[in-house]
Amino acid sequence: MIHPGARGKDTEETAVYRLFDAEGRLLYVGMGRNPMQRWGSHAEQHPWWPRVVRFTVKWHPTRQEAAAEERQALRSESPVNNIHGTERHGLVTGAGVRRELELRRAAQRRRAEQAAAASDPE
């Protein structure tokens, strides 16, 4: 497996990455010269990030080739959380975002309750 980190600054190599959840659903398709850095941004900005359990990375010699693969993947693979470049672009409502945030908060509450129960000396 090729390391998903950055390529050297003297190259145009660009990766297309796919992020999957535990059920194998394609959550997101993206591209960049440093996928790990992009994933850090996703982790900070997107409520769906905690569901990512697996990724694939494919390197392309040029940004143009990577962009072509990303566009094709967005059209044909229907990643759950991509908006730009998909038929959902412009149709996103706040309801989906609110639901994601509710699920994330519920999961955080469950983890906190489990941690509290595990540390209770009873």
Side-chain angles (χ1 to χ4, degrees):
M1 177 177 165
I2 295 174
H3 188 278
R7 292 298 205 219
K9 292 183 180 186
D10 60 342
T11 180
E12 209 186 329
E13 287 181 301
T14 304
V16 173
Y17 57 90
R18 289 168 172 82
L19 306 173
F20 299 88
D21 69 10
E23 288 78 39
R25 283 184 298 239
L26 179 59
L27 297 175
Y28 192 84
V29 175
M31 65 176 244
R33 292 190 59 234
N34 188 338
M36 292 177 81
Q37 183 177 34
R38 288 289 296 133
W39 299 341
S41 298
H42 294 320
E44 292 174 359
Q45 298 172 5
H46 299 293
W48 51 262
W49 177 258
R51 295 182 9 226
V52 175
V53 299
R54 186 173 67 85
F55 65 87
T56 63
V57 177
K58 181 178 177 187
W59 287 95
H60 294 272
T62 67
R63 183 167 183 80
Q64 291 76 18
E65 290 176 60
E69 181 183 334
E70 182 190 39
R71 278 191 305 274
Q72 178 60 31
L74 292 174
R75 283 192 300 266
S76 65
E77 298 174 34
S78 301
V80 175
N81 294 294
N82 284 89
I83 302 302
H84 296 285
T86 71
E87 60 189 36
R88 294 185 309 274
H89 189 178
L91 302 177
V92 177
T93 67
V97 173
R98 282 192 301 277
R99 180 68 181 139
E100 272 297 325
L101 290 172
E102 289 168 5
L103 290 171
R104 185 176 185 182
R105 288 184 193 120
Q108 289 171 338
R109 280 193 300 274
R110 279 193 304 278
R111 285 192 298 273
E113 290 167 0
Q114 290 170 346
S119 65
D120 192 1
E122 289 182 36

